[in-house]
Amino acid sequence: MTDADTARTEGTGEGAPGTPGAPGVPPRKASWRSIGPGIVVAATGVGAGDLIATLIAGSKFGYTLLWAAVIGCLVKISLAEAAGRWHLATGRTLFDGWRSLGAWTTVYFVGYVVIWGFVYGAAAMSSSALPLSALFPGVMDLKWWAVLCGLVGLVFVWFNRYAVFEKVMTVLVGVMFLVTVYLAVRVTPHLGDAVAGLAPVLPDGSLIYTLGLIGGVGGTITLAAYGYWVNAKGWTDISWIKVMRFDNRVAYLTTGVFVVAMLFVGAELLHSSGVALTKGDKGLLDLGKVLEDRYGAATAKLFLIGFFATSFTSLIGVWHGVSLMFADFVARFREGRGGGGAAAVVAREKSLPFRAYLLWLTFPPISLLFLDQPFGLVIVYGLIGAFFMPFLALTLVWLLNSDRTPREWRNGWLSNGMLVAAGLLFLVLCVQQVRELPW
């Protein structure tokens, strides 16, 4: 999904001067067996909040905003491809690239991962706990389910390296995919209306929902983590770029099917009957009750299993991916500009900083599960989080159009257009999110 000439990866495999990878090494062959990091980033980025946003859009506007969901997937393909291309074409990590832009990026990143991680940890645990509490009513309180989810995620990521992590994520993605497609078929979508929804139309009152569909699904710090997962997979030079692009496109095609399926459910099951969902993750429990009334307990339980898979992939994905990014930040801070490279990501997977951030994501947020989130913390979390996606999009434009990137692998006009459009879109969403904060 970039015009940085795909044919380059089909020639001699030689990079520009300074490009990592041995000259003359042919590009690796892309195949279905090679995919992995893209599935991880897509699964991590799509959480319960994205499910409920898509369902509400479908319930309010039917199939009318289907085109926005499709554009959203194209935007994420462009962002993830750019992050992956930076890692493979330069041999440097994304944080190393940010650091080259000035100290301000380090200040922002540190503030983001510390405050965002604290609040996100509690949100991810709660989201994973909701379907378990509904599947096993009366077993224990929701808060303790949340603590259990956090601890299971901690132990899993602590003791398993990337290969096992990827396999488990792939299985959970399979569960998510099958459940959502089954639900979409079960509600008997009107395909003619769905095709009509591909025409870009903005009904009255739909602007914010449209922007949310384009920018929200799969759009988090995990897009920045994609390059780190690419390196953890063992892809470390330009010979892997063709494989990376195939992996990325397959992953977001899967995400597109997932999003379209949930929009179908919202359009058919909720829009036609006028059912309104509660805002936030608890709205998915409302959907479970609607499914039980309409299709029986078995379908409702299947949906809750899919809900859990969606939430838990986000939890363990962040636990792993953002911990890798934090470990890279610490290594850069200690070693200076010249320390390490993209290939060093694998070695950092079980480093002390990696595990320290794992603990930060797990134990301090548990306190928020038993207390109302401090008002000031919610404000700061919202501000920092809102600015991350425009920060990612626009810094990638900067990095991939400068001499920091070998000339052969810099952005073309299509890449620049997609990334600039994404940056502007996320700036609008950022302003909207800041306006909605509980000042």
Side-chain angles (χ1 to χ4, degrees):
M1 188 54 241
T2 172
D3 63 316
D5 198 354
T6 301
R8 296 165 184 155
T9 64
E10 299 175 353
T12 64
E14 295 179 1
T19 301
V25 175
R28 315 281 178 154
K29 184 178 180 180
S31 71
W32 291 97
R33 296 180 62 184
S34 64
I35 63 174
I39 294 294
V40 170
V41 72
T44 305
V46 178
D50 297 305
L51 257 68
I52 195 67
T54 306
L55 284 166
I56 290 176
S59 69
K60 286 182 174 292
F61 303 104
Y63 294 104
T64 309
L65 299 182
L66 183 60
W67 62 273
V70 173
I71 289 178
C73 289
L74 296 177
V75 167
K76 306 311 183 306
I77 288 173
S78 298
L79 283 165
E81 189 276 342
R85 177 157 45 94
W86 166 264
H87 275 244
L88 296 179
T90 67
R92 300 167 67 185
T93 64
L94 188 54
F95 178 76
D96 193 23
W98 285 338
R99 190 179 180 191
S100 73
L101 300 179
W104 66 275
T105 58
T106 301
V107 172
Y108 175 78
F109 178 78
V110 173
Y112 181 86
V113 296
V114 171
I115 299 174
W116 178 88
F118 183 35
V119 181
Y120 178 83
M125 287 185 257
S126 296
S127 180
S128 298
L130 279 169
L132 292 177
S133 180
L135 280 167
F136 306 103
V139 173
M140 59 179 163
D141 186 75
L142 178 66
K143 292 183 177 63
W144 291 110
W145 277 116
V147 171
L148 178 63
C149 289
L151 294 177
V152 169
L154 169 70
V155 171
F156 171 73
V157 175
W158 188 286
F159 289 106
N160 289 294
R161 291 193 176 272
Y162 175 80
V164 176
F165 165 73
E166 182 190 287
K167 286 182 174 64
V168 171
M169 289 287 278
T170 302
V171 170
L172 291 173
V173 168
V175 173
M176 291 165 52
F177 186 83
L178 291 175
V179 168
T180 51
V181 170
Y182 165 76
L183 291 176
V185 173
R186 196 80 166 84
V187 300
T188 318
H190 291 79
L191 297 181
D193 293 341
V195 171
L198 294 174
V201 175
L202 277 178
D204 291 342
S206 68
L207 179 60
I208 297 304
Y209 294 95
T210 303
L211 294 175
L213 271 179
I214 296 174
V217 179
T220 67
I221 190 174
T222 52
L223 281 168
Y226 180 58
Y228 290 84
W229 282 319
V230 162
N231 292 151
K233 179 76 168 176
W235 305 347
T236 55
D237 58 47
I238 57 170
S239 69
W240 292 101
I241 287 184
K242 183 177 180 180
V243 177
M244 179 274 293
R245 285 174 171 158
F246 178 72
D247 169 75
N248 179 41
R249 291 166 187 174
V250 169
Y252 278 98
L253 176 63
T254 304
T255 302
V257 173
F258 179 80
V259 172
V260 168
M262 294 311 295
L263 195 72
F264 281 10
V265 173
E268 293 294 343
L269 195 62
L270 306 176
H271 181 66
S272 58
S273 57
V275 176
L277 299 182
T278 305
K279 285 188 176 181
D281 296 349
K282 291 185 178 179
L284 294 177
L285 297 182
D286 295 344
L287 177 61
K289 293 173 184 175
V290 173
L291 288 169
E292 184 171 3
D293 292 341
R294 185 75 63 89
Y295 303 111
T299 297
K301 290 186 183 300
L302 188 64
F303 166 72
L304 290 172
I305 292 170
F307 177 5
F308 172 75
T310 302
S311 298
F312 197 65
T313 51
S314 294
L315 187 151
I316 60 175
V318 166
W319 264 228
H320 188 277
V322 185
S323 296
L324 270 182
M325 294 182 71
F326 182 78
D328 182 50
F329 154 71
V330 173
R332 301 289 164 188
F333 187 79
R334 287 176 176 171
E335 299 165 4
R337 179 76 176 271
V345 168
V346 179
R348 292 178 184 140
E349 193 178 359
K350 297 305 172 191
S351 64
L352 179 61
F354 179 94
R355 287 178 162 165
Y357 193 73
L358 262 180
L359 296 173
W360 174 255
L361 281 168
T362 307
F363 288 105
I366 286 176
S367 64
L368 295 182
L369 298 173
F370 295 90
L371 300 169
D372 289 333
Q373 294 180 4
F375 181 76
L377 187 61
V378 172
I379 296 290
V380 177
Y381 166 75
L383 281 172
I384 293 179
F387 281 97
F388 184 80
M389 290 305 289
F391 168 80
L392 173 63
L394 298 176
T395 53
L396 281 171
V397 172
W398 190 346
L399 291 170
L400 291 168
N401 285 284
S402 70
D403 58 8
R404 297 171 180 85
T405 304
R407 182 174 299 277
E408 184 181 6
W409 301 106
R410 292 178 195 169
N411 280 355
W413 66 268
L414 182 57
S415 295
N416 280 325
M418 292 295 289
L419 292 177
V420 169
L424 295 176
L425 164 70
F426 291 127
L427 279 174
V428 173
L429 287 171
C430 171
V431 171
Q432 180 63 25
Q433 187 170 339
V434 169
R435 288 177 58 190
E436 291 178 355
L437 287 172
W439 297 98

